[in-house]
Amino acid sequence: MSLFIIADPCWNIMSRNLFALVLVYTVIALVCASFESKEDEYLANLKQKDSLLHFKLWQLEHGKVYTTTEEHSRRFVTFKENLALIEQLNKEHNGMAIFAANKFADISPAEFGSTVLMRRRSVPQHSQDKFLKSSPSTDPLPESFDWRDKNVVSSVKDQGSAGTCWAFSTVANVEGQFAMKYQKLLNLSVEQVVDCDDSEDVPKRYGDCGVYGGWPYLAFGYLQRQGGIETESAYPYCCGGGKDLCFVCPNGYWNASICGPPMPYCNVSQSCPYKLDKSKFVENLVVNDWKQIDMNETVIAQQLQVIGPLSVALDARMLQFYSKGVFNPYLCSKTTLDHAVLLVGFGTDKGLFGDTPYWTIKNSWGPSWGEKGYFRIKRGAGTCGINTQVTTAILA
Ligand SMILES: *[C@@H]1O[C@H](CO)[C@@H](O)[C@H](O)[C@H]1NC(C)=O
Ligand SMILES: *[C@@H]1O[C@H](CO)[C@@H](O)[C@H](O)[C@H]1NC(C)=O
Ligand SMILES: *[C@@H]1O[C@H](CO)[C@@H](O)[C@H](O)[C@H]1NC(C)=O
Ligand SMILES: *[C@@H]1O[C@H](CO)[C@@H](O)[C@H](O)[C@H]1NC(C)=O
């Protein structure tokens, strides 16, 4: 039967036709491929010409107006450079996280670092007695966990253009501790901590330096010594910009060798001694101590469920353009930190390329940034140092 088919003259004709067909298809495919690369080039050109349009649309969307043409062209150059960085981060994350031209798209990573992030510092090391003693749990972790369902996490705030993340992180942790203890969720005053906390850890050269950065562990110490905190409405946030912008003078001695050069200008009547009103301290809110949690991320997840939302810090250089997904950048230090935030939960992302465990984190860059003001970062690999400065206030 098969011999007969091979001998069939018809088959020969068909096979010759088939060969011709394959040849034609190959030629078409080759021609198409060359057209395609031409098309890529054409698109790239169009993109270049179109980036001005893209910038104009972005300006409209974010209500950005520049006063001089010089500033406009400078911002446009930065915008284009940022688009290239965004593309690179998207490639690197391969769909696991998405980066986009968000409200920070007209400021360079360097400018972002100096206005929004804190001066990069190595991880503060604490003595053994500051670590929370916990008996290791053998219970398996739940698939996911989230404090936001439990009315202990307040609304997402916006620090504006001030390096005050450390005060937001501190206050958000205290809000959680207070809500867990008294079933009452309040917005507490971040500005009080920014203005009044002049804590220093002189031997280690760490300090709380207002809009130039600080550390939650020091700020917990300040709240303990101060004896209380006002609410956000009693002592509102003003140092980050907006129409009520304030210029706060240092409260006490400004150690330039820790904090850097002081503010060029400040207004005494906008500063701590004029604004702090102890009679407005929230009743029953007394910070007694603070503790650090272990660096083991399984232990952190266990403790998070018991203690409440925790203050954490990380290297956030590549976080500027984060839009959604699980953050896990190539360029990230595990030992130098520049941003403090609040850990509220964890879970596992079931993606195309397997499961990725993540942490859920509350940021202070406004509700329009990231995932409604939150972001997720890879869990279990010490990503960006997220496990190195996990702390909490202890309430009396
Ligand atoms: C906290 O402030 C936000 C506005 O930023 C407000 O919407 C929210 O209701 C306040 N929450 C509490 C518990 O007062
Ligand atoms: C300021 O900080 C430096 C560096 O840590 C320290 O040597 C100095 O004693 C500090 N000054 C004061 C007055 O605390
Ligand atoms: C200083 O701050 C006070 C209170 O906000 C304000 O009334 C005053 O105009 C400010 N002074 C200057 C010079 O800006
Ligand atoms: C982290 O802690 C868990 C739970 O106590 C333990 O099983 C695991 O071995 C620890 N991992 C490391 C690297 O120490």
Side-chain angles (χ1 to χ4, degrees):
M1 190 67 171
S2 62
L3 272 175
F4 172 74
I5 288 173
I6 288 170
D8 188 344
C10 280
W11 186 87
N12 251 323
I13 291 164
M14 270 174 66
S15 89
R16 253 182 270 139
N17 281 346
L18 202 66
F19 178 74
L21 212 62
V22 166
L23 197 71
V24 167
Y25 271 120
T26 311
V27 169
I28 288 174
L30 283 173
V31 169
C32 281
S34 86
F35 266 129
E36 223 164 75
S37 72
K38 280 245 160 46
E39 199 170 297
D40 275 354
E41 228 171 81
Y42 172 73
L43 277 177
N45 274 332
L46 198 67
K47 237 164 123 182
Q48 182 61 26
K49 287 199 195 94
D50 249 21
S51 54
L52 187 60
L53 181 64
H54 190 172
F55 185 53
K56 288 220 165 355
L57 288 173
W58 176 86
Q59 273 185 281
L60 272 178
E61 189 190 337
H62 293 89
K64 297 269 180 167
V65 184
Y66 306 111
T67 45
T68 64
T69 45
E70 185 277 327
E71 191 186 7
H72 181 275
S73 39
R74 192 161 47 85
R75 293 293 173 194
F76 179 46
V77 169
T78 304
F79 182 81
K80 282 190 290 186
E81 285 167 0
N82 285 342
L83 289 185
L85 174 60
I86 288 165
E87 196 176 323
Q88 182 206 315
L89 282 164
N90 280 326
K91 272 207 188 108
E92 202 179 288
H93 279 78
N94 206 5
M96 201 155 83
I98 306 291
F99 298 78
N102 58 15
K103 64 175 180 172
F104 297 130
D106 65 344
I107 56 177
S108 70
E111 195 181 344
F112 185 74
S114 64
T115 55
V116 177
L117 300 179
M118 312 192 292
R119 210 142 52 99
R120 300 172 57 68
R121 293 293 308 273
S122 60
V123 174
Q125 305 293 327
H126 308 299
S127 58
Q128 273 309 312
D129 64 305
K130 291 315 295 179
F131 280 82
L132 196 79
K133 305 277 181 295
S134 63
S135 39
S137 161
T138 48
D139 295 347
L141 289 176
E143 183 65 17
S144 66
F145 183 82
D146 199 330
W147 275 114
R148 287 175 295 180
D149 316 332
K150 298 168 179 73
N151 206 33
V152 298
V153 184
S154 74
S155 60
V156 170
K157 308 299 190 300
D158 192 348
Q159 67 187 77
S161 45
T164 47
C165 61
W166 60 279
F168 282 92
S169 171
T170 302
V171 164
N173 165 264
V174 173
E175 286 170 349
Q177 291 302 296
F178 186 72
M180 287 180 70
K181 202 167 170 120
Y182 295 103
Q183 286 72 52
K184 196 170 166 193
L185 183 62
L186 299 171
N187 291 314
L188 297 175
S189 174
V190 172
E191 193 67 40
Q192 179 192 324
V193 176
V194 174
D195 295 359
C196 306
D197 177 11
D198 61 346
S199 307
E200 280 178 0
D201 185 346
V202 170
K204 292 190 222 146
R205 301 174 54 92
Y206 294 109
D208 286 347
C209 311
V211 298
Y212 296 119
W215 296 91
Y217 83 94
L218 290 174
F220 294 138
Y222 155 71
L223 289 174
Q224 187 181 350
R225 289 191 306 279
Q226 181 72 79
I229 185 167
E230 298 183 38
T231 61
E232 165 66 21
S233 51
Y235 195 146
Y237 188 66
C238 57
C239 65
K243 62 181 189 330
D244 301 318
L245 178 64
C246 55
F247 300 91
V248 181
C249 300
N251 188 26
Y253 176 72
W254 182 267
N255 192 329
S257 79
I258 290 176
C259 292
M263 282 270 217
Y265 165 78
C266 73
N267 183 334
V268 176
S269 53
Q270 292 176 339
S271 309
C272 177
Y274 282 80
K275 290 201 284 186
L276 186 69
D277 182 351
K278 290 182 189 173
S279 74
K280 291 185 183 160
F281 281 174
V282 172
E283 216 180 320
N284 294 325
L285 198 169
V286 178
V287 175
N288 226 0
D289 198 4
W290 65 271
K291 290 287 180 194
Q292 177 167 6
I293 317 303
D294 203 274
M295 296 205 350
N296 177 322
E297 287 176 75
T298 307
V299 175
I300 294 171
Q302 288 163 349
Q303 291 296 314
L304 175 76
Q305 298 169 77
V306 179
I307 299 171
L310 299 167
S311 171
V312 293
L314 74 156
D315 170 0
R317 275 176 295 173
M318 292 297 128
L319 197 58
Q320 185 177 0
F321 304 117
Y322 170 90
S323 174
K324 60 183 175 184
V326 181
F327 182 62
N328 182 27
Y330 179 70
L331 178 69
C332 217
S333 168
K334 291 181 194 307
T335 53
T336 358
L337 310 174
D338 56 18
H339 190 46
V341 283
L342 186 77
L343 177 60
V344 300
F346 58 84
T348 300
D349 189 65
K350 306 223 183 292
L352 225 49
F353 309 101
D355 294 352
T356 312
Y358 62 79
W359 294 115
T360 307
I361 293 179
K362 184 189 185 188
N363 204 351
S364 49
W365 296 345
S368 69
W369 180 88
E371 298 181 330
K372 298 193 166 77
Y374 287 77
F375 67 98
R376 288 177 291 150
I377 186 172
K378 190 173 174 177
R379 168 169 57 105
T383 305
C384 304
I386 198 70
N387 60 331
T388 58
Q389 198 62 199
V390 187
T391 57
T392 183
I394 307 287
L395 298 196

Coordinates of all heavy atoms in Angstrom, one line a residue, residues 55 82 84 114 119 161 168 191 202 221 225 231 240 245 256 262 266 286 292 295 301-302 307 366 372 379 387:
F55 N 4.4 63.3 27.1 CA 4.7 64.2 28.3 C 3.6 65.2 28.5 O 3.2 65.4 29.7 CB 6.0 64.9 28.0 CG 6.5 65.8 29.1 CD1 6.7 65.3 30.4 CD2 6.9 67.1 28.9 CE1 7.2 66.1 31.4 CE2 7.3 67.9 29.9 CZ 7.5 67.4 31.2
N82 N 13.5 58.8 32.4 CA 12.7 58.0 33.3 C 11.9 56.9 32.5 O 11.8 55.7 33.0 CB 11.7 58.8 34.1 CG 12.4 59.5 35.2 OD1 13.5 59.2 35.6 ND2 11.8 60.6 35.8
A84 N 12.9 55.4 29.9 CA 13.9 54.3 29.6 C 14.1 53.4 30.9 O 14.2 52.2 30.7 CB 15.2 55.0 29.2
S114 N 16.9 62.5 47.0 CA 17.3 63.6 48.0 C 16.1 64.3 48.6 O 16.2 64.9 49.6 CB 18.2 64.6 47.3 OG 17.6 65.3 46.3
R119 N 18.6 59.9 53.4 CA 20.0 59.7 53.1 C 20.3 58.2 53.4 O 19.9 57.6 54.4 CB 20.9 60.5 54.1 CG 22.2 60.9 53.5 CD 22.6 62.3 53.9 NE 22.5 62.5 55.3 CZ 23.5 62.5 56.1 NH1 24.7 62.2 55.7 NH2 23.4 62.7 57.4
S161 N 7.0 66.2 49.3 CA 8.4 66.3 49.1 C 9.2 66.6 50.3 O 9.8 67.6 50.5 CB 8.7 67.2 48.0 OG 8.1 68.4 48.2
F168 N 6.1 58.7 59.4 CA 4.8 58.0 59.0 C 4.8 56.6 59.4 O 3.8 56.0 59.8 CB 4.7 58.1 57.4 CG 4.1 59.5 57.0 CD1 5.0 60.5 56.7 CD2 2.8 59.7 57.0 CE1 4.5 61.7 56.3 CE2 2.3 61.0 56.6 CZ 3.2 62.0 56.3
E191 N 3.3 65.1 62.1 CA 4.0 66.4 62.2 C 4.6 66.6 63.6 O 5.7 67.1 63.7 CB 3.0 67.6 61.8 CG 3.8 68.9 61.6 CD 4.6 68.9 60.3 OE1 4.2 68.3 59.3 OE2 5.7 69.5 60.4
V202 N 24.1 59.0 69.2 CA 25.4 59.6 68.8 C 26.5 58.5 68.5 O 27.2 58.6 67.5 CB 25.9 60.6 69.9 CG1 27.3 61.0 69.7 CG2 25.0 61.8 69.8
G221 N 11.4 55.9 70.9 CA 12.1 56.4 72.1 C 11.6 57.8 72.4 O 11.3 58.1 73.6
R225 N 9.6 59.1 75.8 CA 10.1 60.3 76.6 C 9.1 61.4 76.7 O 8.8 62.0 77.7 CB 11.4 60.8 76.1 CG 12.6 59.9 76.3 CD 13.9 60.6 76.0 NE 13.9 61.2 74.7 CZ 14.2 60.6 73.5 NH1 14.5 59.3 73.6 NH2 14.2 61.2 72.4
T231 N -3.5 64.0 67.9 CA -4.1 63.4 66.7 C -3.7 64.3 65.5 O -3.2 65.4 65.6 CB -5.7 63.4 66.7 OG1 -6.1 64.8 66.8 CG2 -6.2 62.6 67.8
G240 N 5.3 68.8 54.1 CA 5.6 68.1 52.8 C 5.1 68.9 51.6 O 5.3 68.4 50.5
L245 N 2.1 74.8 53.7 CA 3.6 74.4 53.9 C 4.2 75.2 55.1 O 4.0 76.4 55.2 CB 4.3 74.8 52.6 CG 5.8 74.5 52.6 CD1 6.1 73.0 52.7 CD2 6.5 75.1 51.3
A256 N 24.9 68.7 63.0 CA 25.2 68.7 61.5 C 26.0 67.5 61.1 O 25.9 67.0 60.0 CB 25.8 70.0 61.1
P262 N 21.8 72.3 58.3 CA 20.4 72.6 58.7 C 19.6 73.3 57.6 O 20.2 73.8 56.6 CB 20.6 73.5 59.9 CG 21.9 74.1 59.7 CD 22.7 73.1 59.0
C266 N 13.9 78.9 58.5 CA 12.8 78.2 59.3 C 12.0 79.3 60.0 O 12.5 80.4 60.2 CB 13.3 77.2 60.2 SG 14.2 77.7 61.6
V286 N 0.2 55.4 75.7 CA 1.5 55.6 76.3 C 2.5 54.6 75.7 O 2.2 53.4 75.8 CB 1.4 55.4 77.9 CG1 2.8 55.5 78.5 CG2 0.4 56.4 78.5
Q292 N 12.7 45.1 68.4 CA 13.0 44.6 67.1 C 12.6 43.1 66.9 O 12.7 42.4 67.9 CB 14.5 44.7 66.7 CG 14.8 44.2 65.3 CD 16.1 44.5 64.7 OE1 17.0 45.1 65.4 NE2 16.3 44.2 63.5
M295 N 15.1 38.6 62.1 CA 15.3 38.8 60.7 C 14.8 37.7 59.8 O 14.6 37.8 58.6 CB 16.8 39.1 60.3 CG 17.2 40.4 61.0 SD 18.6 41.3 60.3 CE 19.3 40.3 59.1
A301 N 6.6 36.8 59.7 CA 5.2 36.6 59.4 C 4.4 36.1 60.6 O 3.3 36.5 60.8 CB 5.1 35.6 58.2
Q302 N 5.0 35.2 61.4 CA 4.3 34.7 62.6 C 4.1 35.9 63.6 O 3.0 36.0 64.1 CB 5.2 33.6 63.3 CG 5.2 32.3 62.5 CD 6.4 31.4 63.0 OE1 7.3 31.8 63.7 NE2 6.3 30.2 62.6
I307 N 1.4 40.5 66.7 CA 1.7 41.8 67.2 C 0.9 42.9 66.6 O 0.4 43.9 67.2 CB 3.2 42.2 67.0 CG1 4.1 41.2 67.8 CG2 3.5 43.6 67.5 CD1 5.6 41.3 67.5
G366 N 0.9 58.7 49.0 CA -0.5 59.0 48.6 C -1.2 57.8 48.1 O -0.6 56.8 47.7
K372 N -3.1 51.3 45.2 CA -3.9 52.2 46.1 C -3.1 52.6 47.3 O -3.6 52.6 48.5 CB -5.2 51.4 46.6 CG -6.1 51.0 45.5 CD -7.5 50.6 46.1 CE -8.6 50.5 45.1 NZ -8.5 49.3 44.2
R379 N 8.9 38.1 49.3 CA 9.1 37.7 50.7 C 10.0 36.4 50.8 O 9.9 35.6 49.9 CB 7.7 37.3 51.3 CG 7.7 36.6 52.7 CD 6.3 36.6 53.3 NE 5.3 36.0 52.4 CZ 4.8 34.8 52.6 NH1 5.2 34.0 53.6 NH2 3.9 34.3 51.8
N387 N 13.8 42.8 55.8 CA 13.7 42.1 57.0 C 14.7 42.6 58.1 O 14.8 42.0 59.1 CB 14.0 40.6 56.7 CG 15.4 40.4 56.1 OD1 15.9 41.3 55.4 ND2 16.0 39.3 56.4

